[in-house]
Amino acid sequence: EVLLVESGGGLVQPGGSLRLSCVGSGFQFSNYEMKWARQAPGQGLEWVSRISTDGTKTTYLPSVNGRFTISRDNAKNTVYLQMNSLKTEDTAVYYCAVPYSGYTVRGQGTQVTVSS
């Protein structure tokens, strides 16, 4: 069974930082591109970032480019999302995801709340 477990969310003030982690199991982690997505209250799912299998290629949603950094450690089956200079509009549930066998599998998500 493919399983993704996110952690690291929380409450932070505007301008603060958080680092999200996602551990994958049940699949050969190093063979798959990994993604982060988010969903704000009342909004649809928004793709935030993606990273290639070896970590050398990354892409970002324009609104987070320069503030967020995606990375991965294939030895630990873990993908990270470092979020700096957080804004209130970054408030959402953040999910990691993997395209697997024609489906996109997501974790349960971790809540990020940016508020003063």
Side-chain angles (χ1 to χ4, degrees):
E1 178 189 7
V2 174
L3 189 63
L4 299 171
V5 179
E6 303 95 336
S7 62
L11 173 64
V12 63
Q13 292 186 341
S17 297
L18 283 174
R19 188 195 196 201
L20 307 183
S21 300
C22 170
V23 179
S25 61
F27 64 106
Q28 188 60 46
F29 185 86
S30 59
N31 288 352
Y32 289 85
E33 173 185 88
M34 296 298 296
K35 301 178 180 182
W36 284 97
R38 66 186 181 186
Q39 188 164 23
Q43 304 295 315
L45 193 68
E46 182 176 52
W47 293 102
V48 174
S49 185
R50 62 198 291 180
I51 187 167
S52 60
T53 55
D54 62 1
T56 59
K57 297 181 179 65
T58 58
T59 59
Y60 298 93
L61 183 70
S63 62
V64 309
N65 197 26
R67 299 189 296 122
F68 290 11
T69 302
I70 190 171
S71 61
R72 66 191 296 162
D73 185 339
N74 286 339
K76 296 182 178 179
N77 286 4
T78 303
V79 61
Y80 304 97
L81 187 68
Q82 177 68 45
M83 306 186 296
N84 298 330
S85 302
L86 282 161
K87 304 176 181 181
T88 55
E89 52 263 44
D90 295 319
T91 294
V93 178
Y94 283 72
Y95 301 91
C96 69
V98 59
Y100 184 83
S101 293
Y103 297 92
T104 297
V105 178
R106 282 190 281 160
Q108 84 290 347
T110 186
Q111 176 71 47
V112 171
T113 302
V114 185
S115 175
S116 56

